[in-house]
Amino acid sequence: MKKTKLGEFEELVLLTVAALQAEAYGVEIKRELESRLRHSLSVGSIQSALKRMEEKGFLTSEFGDATQKRGGKRKRIYKTTSYAHKVLSEMKEVRASLWESIPVLSHELKLA
Amino acid sequence: MSLPTNIDPPNWPRRLMKFFLREEFAEEIEGDMEEVFRDNLERFSPAKARRIYAWDAIKLMRPALIKNFQRVGTFQHYAMYKNYIKIAWRNLVKKKAYSFINIFGLGLGISCCLLIFLYVQNEFSFDAYHANKERIYRVVHGEVPKDSKDGLTQCPCWVWGNAPVGAALQNEFPEIDKVVQFSGRSDILLTYGEKKYQEDGIFFMDSTAFDVFSWKVISGNPKTALAAPYSIVLTQSTAKKYFGDEDPLGKTIQGSASAGRSDKGDYLVTAVIEDIPSNSHFRFNLLLSMSTFRKAREDVFSAWGYVDFYTYFLVNDKFDEATFKNKLKDFSERHREYPESRYGIAIEPLKDVYLRTEADRQPGETGNLSNIYIFSAIGVFILFIAIINFMNLSTARSLERGKEVGIRKSIGAQRAGLIGQFLGESMIIVLISSCVALVIVYFAAPAMDALTGKDLMIWPFVTLQSIGLFLIGVIFIGLLAGSYPALVLSRFNAVKILKGITQSDRGGVGLRKVLVVFQFSLSIALIAGTLVVYLQMDHLQKRELGFDRQQMLIVDYNYDQEVNKTSELIRNELLRNKDITSVAYSRSVPGSYYPHAGTEIETPDGQKEMKGQAIFQVGLDFITHYDLKLIAGRPYSREHPMDSSTALIINESAARQYGYSNPADAVGKKFSQWGREGEVIGVVKDFNFISLHRNIEPLTLPFAAYDSRYMSVKAKSNDMKRTVAEVESVWKELVPHRPFLYSFLDDDFNKQYQSDFMFRRLFTTFACLAIFIACLGLFGLATYTAERRTKEIGIRKVLGADVQSIVGLLSRDFVILVIIAIVIATPTAWYAMDKWLATFAYKMDMQAWIFAVAGFIALSIALITISHQAIRSAFMNPVSSLRSE
């Protein structure tokens, strides 16, 4: 777990790639994240996160098909690696265990 | 909604992306960007989509996505440049005083240049806003000299002339499109409701005005605005003055009679125009229709001898200036009222009417081309002085940089590279200075407005062209200032330098001295110039003008006949005040406008001869009131009731004009003038009724009380304010319908010297700046020399030298230079100022002491500058300077 530095935003992007499966390319990731986070993102922020994670070995990519809407330029489809899945589930576990260790707070008691 | 496929993303961000994105990512990211752009097109306007695209493209500049630029180019050069910049910066910081002198001095020099440029640009921009400026000409009236070869009209001439010339030009020359004429400057009292103002300097203007001149019409129809009689066109600020926020169009204003031009009546506001730009050769607050004038004085519009009109015209493509001028000879001859007269006209293009006209009786102000040249020269001088500072300080410090050059050379630096380095350094300093200069200009521009009395606008001059010019100027200054140090420094022999043989100390000393002499010659010349300007202005102000002008109050009532009818009553009422010693009425007062007239007077041989002179129509008491000295005869008097129709007083010059070598002999001779006949009853000593730029002209002072415009009130009062208030209360009581407009004769007369005062202010300011910058440089040099000679001074002190001799030693060199500069500057300044004085008819004598004083001032300033440093090093303890080796 030590060496896997994964920022919060990177983690979100990585999860989105995993969720989108075959549709995971730049603009689609951006759309998906924008609709979930409810604020707009720049192409640059998505792209730099993707490139960084590809370098770290969380992602692999290959060219997909080109569309007219893209000015005839090909998409690049991203896939999560098994390493990425391992790291993501590790992080989920760490988080879950942390959540569990939070004592029940007084205001929550009242709500219940 | 279908996709608008014809809209493309903007071009420049696309190119930007191509430039910095890593090639392996380019296709994908560009595709993404384009897709996002198409999405945005569906949601937003194309403009917004483009904006988002561009902004996104800029945000793509992230470390993970951009090319590795560090690998571009060779490593070696990059490091070298970095080193150059680092060294340049260290040098700047290490020697703060020098850097300050260099940057601030140069900045000051550049800002002076820019400010003067602003002023000069403003002078050259006069009338340039007229869309037809290339096609507008005006008529000047003069005479064809008897001995003229080409038969053309020459100056002395007047712009002011007759009316029928306009119609004649229009009818006889197909190359003339439109003629526009307007009256001489008039005055009118306007009343709208409670508001009542006297408007000075207005014109009766032809309806073609807006076809020829490009004044912006805000409301109203420019074609018809000036057509009907009693139409009035207001400028925006005048409209505001009378109507506030109301719409003035279609309202009526009551106007008084305008003497000799129109009867009183109700004027209809037909148009409002923007205020006339300050760079116009004539300006006004309002225009009245020429047909108003025509209605009152139909006769003068066909009289070739009646002078009251300015004639401008617009030409078409068929016009050729040279051919047209040739036709004017015939034209003039055809239209002479009397065949024996030599009347003729000439033309002036609009671009010449402000700066290059010789004609008199202008409709407005004129500029002065030689002042522009003088100030441009001063601007360049100041810049040179600042550049010389830079060169001197850089070469003087060359020794310190010598070791650096030696090491650079020994590890393989080429001479070209070194020249580049030092030129680059000076370029950096000049760049910083020019930024300083821009800041100074920004803050000093209002002061410059006050100095010149003009509205200098900065922003109109900030154009692509002027910015380019400025940058070229900066590069030029950088090259000029940096080239000499660069050449000297790069020439050093590496071996000798590193061995410790100082060759550089001698190098450049000669040139440095020459430059200091040059600097100081300029400064001394400017100081001498300032002194001459001051003395001459003082001379003008102190000179006896031949009439009384102390505590003289002038009330302008603009020929109001109600006032002229009750003039005696007002006079008696005022004289009851013990502070008021005398009251007189006249059409003109010294320094004000006066007409010219032809007069026939008997010459010594008994013939009556017709000659033209200036004319002051005066009331009964004018001669005694102004304390004009009578050489012979008597003043107008209440005891001679016939004076009002049969008497005339003339001045000495007029008497001489008719051939009386003894002016007193003219008394008793017959005259006829403007339909009157009688005898000359007195001759007054010449007095300066106009500015001392001009000689005293012949003048007649006919008695015409009912033509008066001004009331002069002489007071002997310790409290002028109270006296003015007392005069005003009498006026309010006796002349309730007319505002009380007063001024002091002294001020009015001095208004004629307004441009001279401006000249003096500008000259003084820039001369002071010049000497300041020169001293800044001298200070730097002195500091440097003292520093360099610390050890020498230490040894001298150990050996017994006293403070005096050391101060002398350190100052001697500079003092010699300044003395040489005095020798050079004196004749140059003498010559230049003699030229300037030639523009005055009454000038002071140029005296040698002025230059001695100028030299002394320069020398003392230089000494004060140096001595600070010299004394400091002379008092230094030799132990501290000799301790370290």
Side-chain angles (χ1 to χ4, degrees):
Chain A
M1 180 87 208
K2 261 182 203 165
K3 280 191 173 175
T4 54
K5 275 192 190 158
L6 200 54
E8 185 212 11
F9 185 70
E10 282 176 340
E11 192 187 343
L12 286 172
V13 174
L14 194 55
L15 284 167
T16 319
V17 173
L20 287 173
Q21 295 287 328
E23 278 301 302
Y25 74 99
V27 182
E28 195 53 46
I29 300 168
K30 179 171 171 291
R31 276 190 210 120
E32 183 69 27
L33 264 180
E34 276 178 342
S35 71
R36 284 181 193 270
L37 298 176
R38 289 194 202 87
H39 74 84
S40 63
L41 299 163
S42 76
V43 175
S45 59
I46 302 281
Q47 282 293 348
S48 68
L50 288 172
K51 297 297 181 267
R52 277 199 305 268
M53 288 191 292
E54 195 170 7
E55 210 163 78
K56 289 178 193 165
F58 292 112
L59 293 171
T60 56
S61 67
E62 57 191 37
F63 275 120
D65 50 347
T67 64
Q68 210 216 327
K69 198 178 172 188
R70 296 175 60 83
K73 302 207 168 67
R74 286 176 293 173
K75 298 170 181 171
R76 186 173 274 276
I77 310 288
Y78 290 86
K79 276 200 190 97
T80 46
T81 60
S82 57
Y83 171 60
H85 279 285
K86 201 179 116 215
V87 171
L88 281 174
S89 58
E90 267 176 20
M91 285 184 81
K92 194 181 168 193
E93 272 164 37
V94 170
R95 292 220 165 109
S97 71
L98 278 171
W99 272 108
E100 269 164 35
S101 64
I102 300 174
V104 182
L105 296 171
S106 53
H107 70 267
E108 277 179 78
L109 270 174
K110 268 178 204 162
L111 279 175
Chain B
M1 188 181 145
S2 67
L3 264 181
T5 46
N6 53 336
I7 299 168
D8 284 326
N11 233 334
W12 65 264
R14 213 160 27 174
R15 262 182 277 141
L16 184 73
M17 274 156 52
K18 268 217 172 69
F19 172 70
F20 70 74
L21 279 183
R22 281 202 211 181
E23 267 143 43
E24 59 263 42
F25 301 155
E27 182 176 353
E28 178 204 358
I29 295 178
E30 274 173 39
D32 279 9
M33 289 288 288
E34 184 138 355
E35 191 174 335
V36 172
F37 176 72
R38 301 269 165 234
D39 280 349
N40 285 337
L41 272 184
E42 284 175 55
R43 289 197 285 155
F44 309 118
S45 67
K48 183 161 182 187
R50 284 206 187 91
R51 243 182 354 254
I52 295 175
Y53 184 89
W55 184 228
D56 266 0
I58 289 167
K59 284 202 284 191
L60 276 170
M61 277 195 253
R62 288 160 190 266
L65 305 177
I66 59 172
K67 287 176 191 164
N68 192 347
F69 284 99
Q70 264 150 5
R71 265 180 242 138
V72 181
T74 54
F75 177 69
Q76 229 181 0
H77 277 122
Y78 174 67
M80 211 56 225
Y81 290 132
K82 235 168 91 174
N83 177 273
Y84 284 162
I85 290 169
K86 196 184 270 176
I87 297 288
W89 176 248
R90 280 181 188 163
N91 268 313
L92 273 181
V93 175
K94 195 166 92 189
K95 298 282 177 184
K96 289 199 181 65
Y98 294 126
S99 310
F100 174 78
I101 291 173
N102 268 341
I103 291 174
F104 183 67
L106 209 51
L108 213 54
I110 295 174
S111 58
C112 285
C113 243
L114 283 177
L115 284 172
I116 288 173
F117 179 75
L118 211 60
Y119 163 75
V120 170
Q121 275 290 307
N122 182 63
E123 290 293 281
F124 279 118
S125 75
F126 265 71
D127 303 307
Y129 63 88
H130 292 296
N132 297 325
K133 58 177 184 266
E134 304 292 338
R135 291 163 49 211
I136 301 175
Y137 288 79
R138 75 175 180 191
V139 175
V140 293
H141 307 257
E143 289 189 340
V144 181
K146 258 184 198 146
D147 49 358
S148 158
K149 285 192 196 88
D150 50 6
L152 294 178
T153 312
Q154 276 170 17
C155 275
C157 51
W158 282 11
V159 191
W160 209 31
N162 56 51
V165 70
L169 283 170
Q170 178 88 75
N171 294 335
E172 293 171 33
F173 295 104
E175 57 262 56
I176 292 180
D177 257 3
K178 290 264 158 63
V179 174
V180 56
Q181 289 187 303
F182 50 96
S183 67
R185 298 171 69 83
S186 317
D187 315 87
I188 191 171
L189 182 70
L190 290 181
T191 315
Y192 177 73
E194 294 289 290
K195 290 178 179 136
K196 180 181 269 195
Y197 300 101
Q198 173 160 330
E199 298 291 347
D200 294 329
I202 59 152
F203 298 102
F204 290 87
M205 178 74 76
D206 266 345
S207 57
T208 43
F210 296 103
D211 297 328
V212 178
F213 301 115
S214 309
W215 297 313
K216 286 207 187 79
V217 180
I218 295 171
S219 55
N221 182 355
K223 296 271 169 231
T224 56
L226 288 167
Y230 291 97
S231 301
I232 186 168
V233 171
L234 304 175
T235 62
Q236 214 168 7
S237 49
T238 314
K240 199 155 187 76
K241 188 163 84 177
Y242 287 95
F243 297 98
D245 294 329
E246 282 178 74
D247 181 14
L249 229 54
K251 302 241 165 39
T252 50
I253 298 186
Q254 289 165 281
S256 69
S258 184
R261 298 196 178 107
S262 67
D263 302 324
K264 69 176 181 190
D266 289 345
Y267 287 88
L268 180 72
V269 181
T270 50
V272 177
I273 60 175
E274 271 182 18
D275 284 359
I276 304 305
S278 59
N279 54 353
S280 308
H281 76 284
F282 68 94
R283 290 158 71 187
F284 49 82
N285 292 332
L286 55 93
L287 294 173
L288 306 175
S289 56
M290 187 65 115
S291 45
T292 321
F293 188 174
R294 190 183 279 270
K295 201 172 167 190
R297 304 284 310 270
E298 181 69 52
D299 54 318
V300 303
F301 282 79
S302 52
W304 283 85
Y306 190 88
V307 172
D308 193 20
F309 298 90
Y310 294 104
T311 308
Y312 286 58
F313 57 89
L314 182 70
V315 298
N316 55 32
D317 311 339
K318 281 173 266 169
F319 178 82
D320 177 72
E321 202 172 313
T323 347
F324 188 79
K325 276 182 176 159
N326 285 332
K327 293 188 208 162
L328 284 181
K329 189 180 160 227
D330 262 1
F331 176 85
S332 302
E333 279 166 10
R334 248 196 327 266
H335 292 291
R336 271 176 200 158
E337 218 176 356
Y338 309 103
E340 70 276 13
S341 85
R342 280 178 281 126
Y343 169 77
I345 65 166
I347 57 167
E348 276 181 338
L350 186 71
K351 66 175 164 42
D352 288 350
V353 302
Y354 181 67
L355 288 174
R356 295 179 190 86
T357 180
E358 285 174 57
D360 280 331
R361 297 288 191 188
Q362 297 277 347
E365 56 171 342
T366 54
N368 187 331
L369 205 56
S370 67
N371 278 4
I372 291 181
Y373 290 140
I374 291 173
F375 289 126
S376 306
I378 291 179
V380 173
F381 286 167
I382 292 180
L383 190 61
F384 264 116
I385 290 176
I387 290 176
I388 289 174
N389 278 352
F390 183 90
M391 290 169 78
N392 276 347
L393 290 179
S394 316
T395 48
R397 289 177 53 211
S398 60
L399 191 72
E400 286 165 30
R401 305 292 297 273
K403 285 234 165 62
E404 181 195 333
V405 173
I407 290 172
R408 279 185 194 279
K409 277 201 169 174
S410 59
I411 56 174
Q414 298 290 311
R415 189 162 177 216
L418 287 169
I419 292 179
Q421 180 198 347
F422 291 116
L423 270 184
E425 261 181 46
S426 63
M427 218 57 103
I428 289 173
I429 293 180
V430 173
L431 258 171
I432 300 174
S433 321
S434 55
C435 294
V436 172
L438 288 178
V439 174
I440 297 179
V441 167
Y442 183 76
F443 286 104
M448 189 72 180
D449 278 7
L451 275 180
T452 57
K454 311 238 156 170
D455 252 350
L456 300 181
M457 242 85 81
I458 296 186
W459 298 115
F461 292 117
V462 183
T463 57
L464 220 56
Q465 201 186 1
S466 63
I467 291 172
L469 208 66
F470 178 67
L471 286 179
I472 290 171
V474 166
I475 292 171
F476 177 74
I477 294 169
L479 286 178
L480 196 67
S483 59
Y484 183 73
L487 289 176
V488 170
L489 283 167
S490 62
R491 205 188 290 136
F492 287 169
N493 182 328
V495 178
K496 280 189 188 161
I497 285 258
L498 293 177
K499 259 169 127 181
I501 300 168
T502 57
Q503 51 176 8
S504 57
D505 204 24
R506 293 285 90 192
V509 170
L511 183 88
R512 213 142 67 218
K513 284 185 174 163
V514 171
L515 290 178
V516 169
V517 168
F518 180 63
Q519 254 183 337
F520 268 82
S521 307
L522 287 180
S523 308
I524 293 166
L526 286 175
I527 295 176
T530 310
L531 285 174
V532 170
V533 172
Y534 258 92
L535 289 169
Q536 168 65 12
M537 296 302 290
D538 198 54
H539 176 77
L540 289 188
Q541 300 219 275
K542 291 233 176 89
R543 202 190 139 83
E544 258 329 302
L545 295 175
F547 63 89
D548 192 359
R549 56 174 169 155
Q550 297 308 314
Q551 296 206 319
M552 190 80 79
L553 192 69
I554 306 292
V555 180
D556 176 6
Y557 58 88
N558 202 14
Y559 310 102
D560 193 321
Q561 283 313 310
E562 308 263 330
V563 177
N564 278 335
K565 272 179 212 151
T566 49
S567 60
E568 282 297 293
L569 177 68
I570 300 171
R571 175 171 176 269
N572 292 336
E573 200 61 32
L574 285 172
L575 284 177
R576 277 168 42 184
N577 186 329
K578 63 176 172 20
D579 285 340
I580 292 169
T581 54
S582 162
V583 176
Y585 297 87
S586 58
R587 175 173 182 180
S588 315
V589 292
S592 80
Y593 163 80
Y594 55 87
H596 278 75
T599 314
E600 275 186 68
I601 295 181
E602 223 179 310
T603 56
D605 41 324
Q607 300 275 337
K608 264 195 174 179
E609 214 172 287
M610 180 70 145
K611 289 191 187 298
Q613 317 82 5
I615 173 169
F616 263 50
Q617 285 159 292
V618 299
L620 202 58
D621 308 294
F622 186 86
I623 309 280
T624 43
H625 179 90
Y626 277 97
D627 209 10
L628 303 181
K629 304 278 175 296
L630 277 161
I631 292 179
R634 59 172 182 85
Y636 298 118
S637 150
R638 288 187 170 73
E639 275 120 53
H640 296 78
M642 290 302 283
D643 274 1
S644 61
S645 54
T646 61
L648 182 68
I649 292 177
I650 61 177
N651 75 351
E652 264 180 283
S653 299
R656 287 208 193 86
Q657 192 187 16
Y658 289 95
Y660 293 98
S661 49
N662 178 12
D665 295 345
V667 174
K669 300 291 185 233
K670 298 253 174 303
F671 83 92
S672 58
Q673 178 192 50
W674 282 359
R676 285 186 191 179
E677 291 198 5
E679 271 180 16
V680 174
I681 61 160
V683 178
V684 293
K685 204 165 146 34
D686 278 349
F687 65 102
N688 292 94
F689 53 94
I690 38 170
S691 94
L692 294 169
H693 276 285
R694 311 247 299 259
N695 275 311
I696 299 173
E697 290 174 46
L699 174 75
T700 63
L701 300 130
F703 183 13
Y706 279 86
D707 288 327
S708 292
R709 164 174 191 173
Y710 297 103
M711 176 173 81
S712 313
V713 179
K714 197 183 337 184
K716 211 171 228 119
S717 160
N718 298 322
D719 184 1
M720 224 27 213
K721 245 192 188 137
R722 200 195 62 223
T723 313
V724 170
E726 283 161 4
V727 174
E728 182 170 8
S729 72
V730 172
W731 184 267
K732 282 261 158 73
E733 197 191 315
L734 295 176
V735 196
H737 66 283
R738 184 155 277 276
F740 179 68
L741 292 177
Y742 75 96
S743 53
F744 289 99
L745 184 66
D746 235 1
D747 299 343
D748 290 350
F749 201 80
N750 281 338
K751 271 200 190 123
Q752 301 179 93
Y753 303 123
Q754 227 166 12
S755 62
D756 299 309
F757 281 119
M758 182 206 90
F759 182 81
R760 184 177 82 178
R761 284 196 302 267
L762 273 184
F763 204 95
T764 318
T765 312
F766 287 109
C768 288
L769 279 172
I771 189 103
F772 175 70
I773 297 175
C775 281
L776 219 52
L778 198 62
F779 179 75
L781 270 187
T783 314
Y784 172 77
T785 333
E787 254 171 40
R788 295 258 312 119
R789 294 170 85 169
T790 316
K791 286 229 162 68
E792 178 196 332
I793 291 162
I795 294 170
R796 278 178 193 274
K797 283 196 86 168
V798 169
L799 293 177
D802 57 3
V803 170
Q804 231 179 341
S805 68
I806 288 175
V807 171
L809 177 81
L810 286 173
S811 316
R812 191 182 304 130
D813 284 353
F814 292 114
V815 171
I816 290 172
L817 294 185
V818 174
I819 288 172
I820 296 174
I822 294 174
V823 173
I824 293 175
T826 303
T828 327
W830 192 302
Y831 174 78
M833 293 323 287
D834 211 44
K835 284 245 142 151
W836 179 72
L837 282 178
T839 62
F840 292 88
Y842 296 85
K843 49 181 174 259
M844 55 170 241
D845 298 323
M846 196 78 99
Q847 279 154 344
W849 67 264
I850 297 170
F851 297 91
V853 168
F856 180 75
I857 293 175
L859 197 60
S860 345
I861 295 178
L863 268 178
I864 292 167
T865 314
I866 304 163
S867 63
H868 168 72
Q869 238 354 281
I871 291 169
R872 207 176 71 171
S873 28
F875 275 108
M876 210 144 70
N877 187 348
V879 175
S880 60
S881 57
L882 292 176
R883 190 170 45 196
S884 63
E885 182 53 51

